[in-house]
Amino acid sequence: MNPAPTDKELAEPHLLGTLASVGLDAEYVRAHGDTVYRLDGEGREVPVTDFAGGYGSLILGHHHPEITSLARELLERQVPVYTQFSHHPEANRAANLINAAIRRETGTQEPYYAFFASTGAEAVEAATKHAEFARAQRLSALAAGIGENVALARAELGAGRAVPGPDVYERAGADSSQPGDRVLEHLVARLERHNDEVLSRPPVYFALEGSFHGKLAGSVQLTHNPGFRTPFAAMAARARFVPLNEGGALVKAVEEERAVVWDLVVEDGRIGVVERPAPVFGAFLVEPVQGEGGVHEVSREFAERIQAVCADIGCPIVVDEVQSGMGRTGSFLASSHIGLRGDYYVLAKSLGGGIAKSSVMLVREEHYRGEFELVHSSTFAKDGFSSRIAVRVLELLEADGGAAYARARERGERLRAALERVRADFPDVVEQVRGRGLMLGLEFRDTSDSPSEVLRFLAEADVLGYVLSGYLLRKHAVRALPTASAVNTLRFAPSIGIADEQIDRLEEALRDVALVLRERDEQALTP
């Protein structure tokens, strides 16, 4: 039902006004493959080539025939959608298909247990929540063990079988003339104060500069863009952001966050003090290819450093494949290109086949805590519709020996070649082409020192990419959008069905944009 002409705009009107100011307030009424249809001023459908791809949600394109056919079938069969607190074999089937892909690409035989949700941000929060659940258990076990060791030291001292060693006197700030029992109690008081302070600290989460992990109360604190994060800084986890691909900075950050607790040991009739690593690290979140940060890839060398450092400090790795996974980069997991193995994986977007809202968090068996399932849930998780859609999507990706992944690589090479030609012919306008497979970005040079007052303003207002997107839509019927935290970079995430002529149309459109920027044609950029 169409809204009445007099309806007041109540659905995010401020955002709509912002879109209108740059020419992106189109109404789309139909879609298939890599084509969407917007309405013109006279209500006619205008085809638009879609390179935005639902921010990576459309690896199979809009309304893939097998997905839409299945959706109709499920509705016609009256398959129950919401039957919470029951057995969900289709969700289990999806989890097993994902595990098979992980085994193939990583070589691991260790299973990953699945927790389903609706959005990528929810799945990220499920991962960090589970990691904190497991950390709290380790922390509790550590504190209990120290308590037992303190009790043992007291008992051994009381029975005359042990005496405080020199380090006990030193840590207690006592001299050798003081009675052993008093010295031990003084040390225990110091130990308890020190340990209470360390173990009550909130965990630190590591993420990368340029990262994007969602905008919910918890996940937004793991998103690097301060515009998204700062207004809500008081609400959630403490994050430490590490420069991308800088191993030395990673090591430095970890060393600055390390902490130890004190423990007591009794050996050969002496009571001593030992330091034990405190479980202060929550998780390290990594996007193998940063989507909103400008389409930057994690290098293999940096991935190896992350893996080694996290193993050393007992920090689980959460691999965020919300945008990069599901075949977009030419393999099921983008992280498999760089040898990065996650303790957790997060998948979403294309898992829903362009129709359902679906995401999943997977946790490696070593880290899995079954009790978490009793304290974490979602109304829409494992629903009968999205679970079956996810299974079909996974089957389509894996069909014919993974032909979809090969197609993503081949189409990605074709698209990248077109972008590189634009860069080569307009080096004064285009900074760089980045990405892998069908997750590519083209970065325009900064215009903050341009002779054009308009281009300087667009740079200062951080909206150049949105204005260029509006121009592409208006003049060339091409839909491409900038990355949220690096708006001079346009992102291209079409489906594996993108055609040569559509790529050619994009190249022609980008050449026109580059020429407008080179000639500083201010009027052309005005919506």
Side-chain angles (χ1 to χ4, degrees):
M1 181 177 180
N2 291 326
T6 56
D7 277 357
K8 180 179 176 62
E9 190 65 51
L10 299 176
E12 301 186 74
H14 180 76
L15 175 60
L16 183 61
T18 301
L19 295 175
S21 70
V22 293
L24 290 173
D25 57 331
E27 178 186 356
Y28 296 100
V29 295
R30 191 161 62 90
H32 61 80
D34 290 282
T35 302
V36 293
Y37 294 83
R38 69 175 180 88
L39 293 180
D40 66 13
E42 298 180 6
R44 296 172 301 194
E45 291 187 359
V46 177
V48 175
T49 303
D50 184 13
F51 282 90
Y55 290 137
S57 299
L58 297 164
I59 190 64
L60 299 176
H62 292 277
H63 295 294
H64 186 280
E66 289 201 39
I67 300 299
T68 55
S69 176
L70 175 61
R72 290 193 188 98
E73 176 193 337
L74 295 175
L75 296 176
E76 289 171 357
R77 284 170 46 202
Q78 297 183 329
V79 167
V81 178
Y82 301 125
T83 53
Q84 298 89 341
F85 229 63
S86 63
H87 183 213
H88 296 278
E90 292 299 323
N92 189 59
R93 176 63 179 154
N96 274 273
L97 288 170
I98 294 170
N99 266 267
I102 293 174
R103 284 196 300 272
R104 182 187 67 246
E105 293 192 355
T106 68
T108 183
Q109 295 303 309
E110 188 174 4
Y112 284 78
Y113 293 89
F115 295 80
F116 287 87
S118 300
T119 69
E122 286 180 81
V124 166
E125 295 217 354
T128 56
K129 188 178 174 184
H130 186 283
E132 175 57 14
F133 188 79
R135 188 190 77 91
Q137 290 184 339
R138 295 197 305 275
L139 187 151
S140 179
L142 177 61
I146 292 172
E148 292 172 1
N149 290 339
V150 168
L152 175 63
R154 282 171 169 157
E156 293 296 288
L157 178 63
R161 292 190 293 268
V163 296
D167 55 342
V168 171
Y169 280 88
E170 180 181 352
R171 297 254 185 167
D175 59 55
S176 57
S177 65
Q178 293 179 292
D181 57 348
R182 186 179 300 174
V183 171
L184 179 61
E185 291 309 313
H186 191 56
L187 171 67
V188 168
R190 285 192 170 189
L191 176 151
E192 290 176 344
R193 285 195 300 272
H194 171 80
N195 289 357
D196 286 347
E197 188 277 325
V198 171
L199 297 179
S200 63
R201 294 178 192 172
V204 60
Y205 290 85
F206 291 106
L208 299 178
E209 292 182 2
S211 64
F212 183 93
H213 298 291
K215 294 180 181 176
L216 297 181
S219 59
V220 75
Q221 293 308 315
L222 307 170
T223 291
H224 183 238
N225 187 331
F228 299 147
R229 174 169 45 88
T230 304
F232 313 103
M235 293 183 66
R238 184 169 73 91
R240 177 88 184 245
F241 294 99
V242 178
L244 177 65
N245 294 332
E246 293 188 19
L250 167 60
V251 172
K252 181 175 183 291
V254 165
E255 291 305 318
E256 290 174 352
E257 298 291 347
R258 280 184 189 267
V260 296
V261 292
W262 297 357
D263 195 2
L264 299 183
V265 294
V266 180
E267 294 178 345
D268 299 326
R270 284 189 178 273
I271 301 170
V273 181
V274 294
E275 292 183 344
R276 303 193 187 282
V280 296
F281 301 109
F284 197 126
L285 285 87
V286 185
E287 296 168 278
V289 184
Q290 293 183 339
E292 304 302 338
V295 195
H296 292 275
E297 293 185 80
V298 172
S299 70
R300 175 172 286 273
E301 294 74 20
F302 192 56
E304 291 172 355
R305 181 65 68 90
I306 291 172
Q307 202 90 61
V309 168
C310 286
D312 177 56
I313 63 176
C315 178
I317 298 172
V318 178
V319 180
D320 183 343
E321 297 263 12
V322 168
Q323 287 196 42
S324 60
M326 301 295 298
R328 179 152 295 283
T329 65
S331 60
F332 183 75
L333 299 170
S335 51
S336 66
H337 294 295
I338 54 175
L340 180 64
R341 182 188 177 191
D343 300 301
Y344 297 81
Y345 289 100
V346 180
L347 296 164
K349 293 189 182 291
S350 286
L351 185 64
I355 291 179
K357 297 178 177 66
S358 186
S359 65
V360 64
M361 177 272 280
L362 300 116
V363 54
R364 188 158 63 91
E365 185 174 47
E366 180 182 338
H367 293 264
Y368 170 66
R369 301 292 183 269
E371 316 93 282
F372 182 74
E373 297 170 16
L374 304 178
V375 298
H376 179 84
S377 63
S378 169
T379 297
F380 302 127
K382 301 182 294 186
D383 74 83
F385 183 80
S386 67
S387 295
R388 287 169 170 82
I389 294 294
V391 167
R392 184 59 55 86
V393 169
L394 293 162
E395 289 173 343
L396 288 170
L397 291 178
E398 293 290 323
D400 301 322
Y405 308 130
R407 175 73 174 174
R409 292 192 294 272
E410 184 274 326
R411 291 287 80 191
E413 290 171 2
R414 175 71 168 80
L415 176 56
R416 183 167 192 138
L419 300 180
E420 290 286 5
R421 286 193 294 270
V422 175
R423 185 196 62 79
D425 290 345
F426 294 90
D428 53 322
V429 173
V430 178
E431 177 75 26
Q432 196 175 25
V433 174
R434 295 185 294 270
R436 184 185 290 267
L438 289 171
M439 187 175 178
L440 298 173
L442 182 145
E443 181 183 0
F444 290 95
R445 292 189 181 277
D446 181 26
T447 61
S448 57
D449 59 353
S450 171
S452 165
E453 183 178 352
V454 170
L455 291 180
R456 290 199 308 273
F457 169 78
L458 296 178
E460 292 165 4
D462 212 21
V463 297
L464 176 64
Y466 293 102
V467 171
L468 299 182
S469 293
Y471 181 85
L472 286 170
L473 178 61
R474 188 170 63 253
K475 298 294 186 181
H476 294 277
V478 167
R479 176 172 159 82
L481 298 171
T483 58
S485 300
V487 298
N488 278 17
T489 300
L490 295 185
R491 173 179 40 198
F492 307 98
S495 81
I496 56 175
I498 192 72
D500 283 346
E501 56 267 26
Q502 292 173 308
I503 295 174
D504 293 341
R505 186 177 306 125
L506 173 66
E507 181 178 355
E508 179 184 350
L510 290 173
R511 288 180 176 278
D512 182 31
V513 166
L515 188 61
V516 166
L517 290 174
R518 174 181 284 175
E519 296 180 349
R520 299 187 288 278
D521 187 347
E522 301 172 355
Q523 186 174 0
L525 295 176
T526 304

